[in-house]
Amino acid sequence: MRAKVRSEVERLAGRVAQDVFAGWERAALSRAVAAAHDGERARLVREVVEHTGGQAARAARAAVEEARGRELERAAAEAVAAELAARLAEHEGLVHALASDATEEALLAARPELLRAVREEVAKAYAEATPPVIEVSLRRRPARRVRDATHRALPELLTALHARCHVLLVGPAGTGKSMLAKHAADALGLELQALSLGPTTPMSKVFGYFDAHGHYHDTPFRRAFEHGGLMLLDELDNGHPGLLGELNQALALRTCAFADGMVSAHEDFRLVATGNTYGHGGDHQYVGRQALDAATLDRFVVIDVPIDQRLEYRLVLAGAPSRREEARALLKEVRRLRAVAAEKRLPLTFSPRAGIDGARLLEAGATLAQALAWRVTRGLSAAHRSALGLDAPGRATQPRATQPRAAEPQDARPESFG
């Protein structure tokens, strides 16, 4: 995996260096030619006049004599122009030589700045292509390393969890909230338990139940609460208010009434909830979200989880390792649509998942046009397509699709977003 990433980075670094050098070379050559031309123009003009003054006069007189009965002035002008052109051609080589020397001097003078620019671009490319290794050091806990591509909000989440606070992660769909909880569990050395809430989630799915034979069945929440672990409650703002009210006691007193009796929370019990809203009800995008009770909200520390664009970039490129240029084009279009939807307050979501899934389609052999149509722009109304500029003249073929091709199995797999 790392060897493959390094190979890609080295290839990218070579291309970046070549592009940067070409840019400097063009700029230096332009400056050198201009300087050579400005410095030599006056002298060359004087030399041409000195060498051609008499000859031009003789040529004019000869033309006049030979052109009797014709347009005498026009013939004279053509003769003079021909003589001047011949003399200027003799000095053309001198101009090129001067320009070449000046170009070489300009490039030598610019070499330190050129190398600095190349190093900066290569370092930037390497940082984007290589997931950082995060070392987590918390008081009274051994240091641990998280090697996966992580969201930039991870340190904030770990600080809140280490303080034994319950955390509500709030952000748009697909920003990586669920994945962030998983990385936090890995960093803390805790087992992850997860449950997604909805309006009809029954109490038994959280607190357990007895079957007809009298056997108690526990739940992910019970296991994390009693034995330690990180409990992920996905879509908290989609849960039933009655169910959330039953959780208040467990969150506040760390004691919970399960179906088989009272249980005290383990020292290593941690809880992370996710939501698309701050618990004040639905909005123009998340119309079905519940307004959460103030008593429930008061149990949580709230951390914002916006889109981490560097993480999004890494995961999209990891999804299509053999078609990176098309993956970049796909991501660029997703971000354009996201910006337009936000600016016009359209009830549309273009989350990082769209780019990640689209990249997987590319790697599987889909064309760029197919990946966009299947995963990014599917189901849009005519009004929304018009508002997003998808039906504008010239966009029918942009971005251009490529021919599908079979994808080879890859070791690098992007994680799912939540």
Side-chain angles (χ1 to χ4, degrees), residues 6-289:
R6 181 171 295 279
S7 175
E8 171 63 17
V9 169
E10 289 175 354
R11 185 192 66 78
L12 183 61
R15 190 184 66 190
V16 168
Q18 183 178 1
D19 291 345
V20 172
F21 184 83
W24 275 96
E25 184 181 42
R26 286 192 297 270
L29 180 59
S30 177
R31 291 193 298 269
V33 170
H37 180 264
D38 291 341
E40 294 299 316
R41 178 172 52 188
R43 185 175 65 82
L44 289 174
V45 169
R46 287 196 302 271
E47 289 184 7
V48 169
V49 171
E50 291 172 359
H51 285 82
T52 64
Q55 295 176 18
R58 288 192 298 272
R61 285 194 296 271
V64 169
E65 293 175 357
E66 295 175 1
R68 292 174 181 174
R70 299 184 347 185
E71 300 177 7
L72 300 182
E73 293 182 0
R74 177 181 175 186
E78 290 178 352
V80 172
E83 188 68 27
L84 289 174
R87 288 299 177 181
L88 286 173
E90 295 178 2
H91 296 278
E92 185 177 2
L94 176 60
V95 174
H96 283 300
L98 290 169
S100 178
D101 293 342
T103 300
E104 183 177 358
E105 292 177 2
L107 288 176
L108 289 175
R111 189 172 185 273
E113 184 68 15
L114 170 64
L115 292 177
R116 183 192 64 78
V118 169
R119 291 193 189 100
E120 288 181 354
E121 291 297 324
V122 170
K124 179 181 177 181
Y126 186 82
E128 289 180 343
T130 306
V133 177
I134 296 179
E135 183 167 295
V136 180
S137 297
L138 300 172
R139 293 180 182 177
R140 298 185 297 277
R141 283 185 175 272
R144 297 179 65 90
R145 288 191 171 188
V146 180
R147 297 184 179 274
D148 294 328
T150 59
H151 195 284
R152 55 187 170 89
L154 179 61
E156 299 175 10
L157 175 58
L158 291 175
T159 300
L161 291 175
H162 188 55
R164 299 169 67 86
C165 294
H166 310 304
V167 181
L168 173 60
L169 302 177
V170 178
T175 55
K177 299 181 293 295
S178 301
M179 184 180 68
L180 192 53
K182 177 182 180 297
H183 287 159
D186 293 341
L188 296 173
L190 300 176
E191 184 177 359
L192 178 68
Q193 304 286 350
L195 179 64
S196 184
L197 301 181
T200 60
T201 301
M203 297 284 186
S204 58
K205 199 168 184 179
V206 177
F207 302 106
Y209 66 95
F210 284 97
D211 62 22
H213 301 285
H215 299 302
Y216 173 74
H217 294 263
D218 67 0
T219 65
F221 179 76
R222 169 66 179 270
R223 290 191 288 272
F225 193 84
E226 183 175 9
H227 304 294
L230 191 148
M231 182 66 210
L232 170 62
L233 290 178
D234 248 334
E235 313 290 352
L236 186 74
D237 53 354
N238 198 34
H240 192 280
L243 173 61
L244 300 180
E246 290 291 333
L247 285 170
N248 286 346
Q249 180 187 42
L251 301 184
L253 301 180
R254 298 181 68 83
T255 299
C256 183
F258 289 94
D260 61 342
M262 298 294 295
V263 177
S264 296
H266 192 278
E267 181 182 0
D268 287 333
F269 169 68
R270 301 289 188 274
L271 186 138
V272 174
T274 69
N276 300 127
T277 67
Y278 292 95
H280 304 308
D283 56 25
H284 72 287
Q285 277 189 302
Y286 305 102
V287 296
R289 299 296 145 168

Side-chain angles (χ1 to χ4, degrees), residues 307-317 331 334-335 338 350-356 417:
I307 293 175
D308 186 337
Q309 291 198 351
R310 294 189 67 176
L311 176 60
E312 179 186 33
Y313 177 86
R314 291 192 190 104
L315 294 180
V316 168
L317 262 63
L331 178 58
V334 169
R335 289 179 172 177
R338 182 187 301 155
F350 298 99
S351 75
R353 286 197 196 98
I356 294 169
F417 256 35

